[in-house]
Amino acid sequence: MLTGEVFVEEGLVTETQLQDAVIKQLELGGGEPIAGVMVQMGLITERDRVRCMGKVWGVPYVDVKGLPVPEEVLEALPGAHARRLKALPLDVQGKRLLVAMANPLDVFVIDELRLATGLEIEPLITIESDLWEAIDSFYPVETNVSEQLAGVMADFDGEISVQQQEEELSDEELKKLGEDAPIIRLANLIINQAVADKASDIHIEPRKDGLLIRQRVDGVMMECMKLPRKVIAPLTSRFKIVANMDIAEKRAPQDNRISAVIGGKEFDFRVSTLPIVYGEKIVMRVLDKGGINVGLSKLGFSDSNLNILLDMAARSYGICLVTGPTGSGKSTTLYSLINQTNDGKKNIITIEDPVEYELDGINQCSVNVRAGMTFAAGLRSMLRQDPDVIMVGEMRDRETATIAMEAALTGHLVFSTLHTNDAPSAPTRLIDMDVEPFLISSSIIGVLAQRLVRQVCPNCKEEYSEPVATLERFGLPVGPDVPTDGSGNVTLWKGKGCDICKGSGHKGRTGVHELLVLSDEIRDSILHKSPAHILRNLAMENGMNTLQMDATAKILKGVTSVEEVLRVIYA
């Protein structure tokens, strides 16, 4: 059976849609499998793709989300092996071990599983992202954190007194403290716990009464540990030693990187120090090098917005801007757009500050101000490298914006970010930066504004009713077609809190978007320097859904909650 035909047979696509996907595959150079192209086009889901590929290969599909696995089965394969081989044991049937895999055709992995377990292996196919979540769930990186912390602190007692901590210690004493076994264990515990909790940032904050460890999980700060003051100097020294910083320099900020393999996965930690009143605050950005969710179809776009973005990514010239505050997922969207254009036949170059994730087949370079490698200087050099597609991490000044837009007019497809609250504000922001209006109106093909909202936890999700009038009072644009009961109430969802979401009622995040496509009317308005509200009205007349409208649609589908949308978009 041909791969494309199975999707028609399953009733997932029509013959016409399959032919459209084949044409799209040829446009992309033929390197992308037809199933992957259909996912990118939004014709099928990743689950549909994996299930049907299993049918083509003769391998049963299994959904590992929420699937119980007996302890004795997990003991058949150690966690380190499960992570390295990307395989999860599910059941033992006689001398056969059923194993969930993302690639069930990898005979080398199957042979290694057979040797490691002493059992015959029966592979089952599953979604890779679900597989990683299940492996992390069944094989926690660290367990019993409080017990481990108590053990570390018991070993640490007596190492250094508070009085010693308050004194000015020599470089040798600081280095010795940072290399003591209990401090190494404590530092590892903090990092491992952050990885297990899927934190994006670790904050190590000296306070008057001790040391506070906090994490940012799904965009929200959460307290993790409280430690005594005597830990401050040795723990700070430990992280500075590992990050190859100057441990004697306490008065000036420093930054560097740490690379580590945790649970069989590669991570980068961007470490930054900042002198504050009671010591040095350390913040570490956690970057899972294998975990970036690249792919426009995975980012929560509505069907209409996804189709427009796919069209923009297929253009040969013009500039597409992604706007939003820090932490709104702009980088992931940019990487997904770049990845969409990466068919092996284009020269793609990026300049970033810094390079967060490495993508195959793409030339990526970092800003280095000390060496004279600014966004503007790097962009000028990139244009001499015969590029087809360019990504500029951020347009911070007039020079960078002007060069990027001129490049967009001379046959290059350019992607970049800008800090504005919404999409219609982007042209006016560029005019404020003294970029010529004719450049803006001629070069921009679209502006995407976005936010990240937490999703309702699927494990503890429950329904409740709310009057439509309440949503309208909150400013949520509920349309007339929304189904209600006889009392004028609408059905919504929220998480009541469970162990999986740590009582928050939310697990994971998705995007909320606003996509401005430049029409002739909007271009004319930009030329006349019209304010943002005029551009917004014109865009809405042309069919643009605002951030509030997209968020409301996700609330009504049970993806996110009213409280979360009010926190992120209306704060």
Side-chain angles (χ1 to χ4, degrees), residues 149-191:
L149 182 59
V152 169
M153 294 312 299
D155 292 341
F156 183 72
D157 280 342
E159 293 278 339
I160 179 172
S161 66
V162 177
Q163 287 74 23
Q164 284 178 295
Q165 142 79 43
E166 300 294 344
E167 294 171 4
E168 190 69 29
L169 300 172
S170 66
D171 294 358
E172 291 76 16
E173 288 174 312
L174 285 170
K175 188 174 181 180
K176 182 178 182 301
L177 286 171
E179 292 177 346
D180 280 347
I183 283 299
I184 292 174
R185 285 173 55 205
L186 178 59
N188 291 344
L189 178 61
I190 290 168
I191 287 178

Side-chain angles (χ1 to χ4, degrees), residues 104-121:
L105 302 185
D106 194 330
V107 293
F108 298 105
V109 168
I110 291 172
D111 283 344
E112 196 165 344
L113 286 167
R114 187 183 296 115
L115 289 171
T117 62
L119 298 167
E120 288 300 312
I121 304 300

Side-chain angles (χ1 to χ4, degrees), residues 102-103 164 226 468:
N103 182 7
Q164 284 178 295
K226 280 185 176 178
V468 171

Side-chain angles (χ1 to χ4, degrees), residues 536-547:
R536 169 174 289 277
N537 291 337
L538 288 172
M540 291 177 69
E541 287 172 11
N542 289 336
M544 182 186 82
N545 285 331
T546 64
L547 285 168

Side-chain angles (χ1 to χ4, degrees), residues 451-471:
R451 301 288 189 278
L452 289 179
V453 294
R454 292 183 295 171
Q455 299 180 97
V456 176
C457 174
N459 188 60
C460 59
K461 188 175 185 177
E462 61 181 15
E463 292 183 8
Y464 72 102
S465 295
E466 194 74 57
V468 171
T470 302
L471 299 184

Side-chain angles (χ1 to χ4, degrees), residues 348-401:
I348 304 173
I349 310 178
T350 75
I351 179 163
E352 307 167 52
D353 185 20
V355 173
E356 291 191 3
Y357 298 97
E358 296 173 9
L359 301 178
D360 290 336
I362 293 172
N363 307 289
Q364 296 170 268
C365 52
S366 288
V367 166
N368 188 335
V369 177
R370 289 180 183 175
M373 181 69 158
T374 60
F375 275 118
L379 188 49
R380 277 202 189 87
S381 299
M382 286 160 58
L383 290 170
R384 292 192 287 269
Q385 291 282 315
D386 185 31
D388 297 296
V389 181
I390 297 168
M391 184 184 105
V392 184
E394 186 180 343
M395 294 203 301
R396 295 175 179 171
D397 52 61
R398 177 185 179 276
E399 186 180 13
T400 305

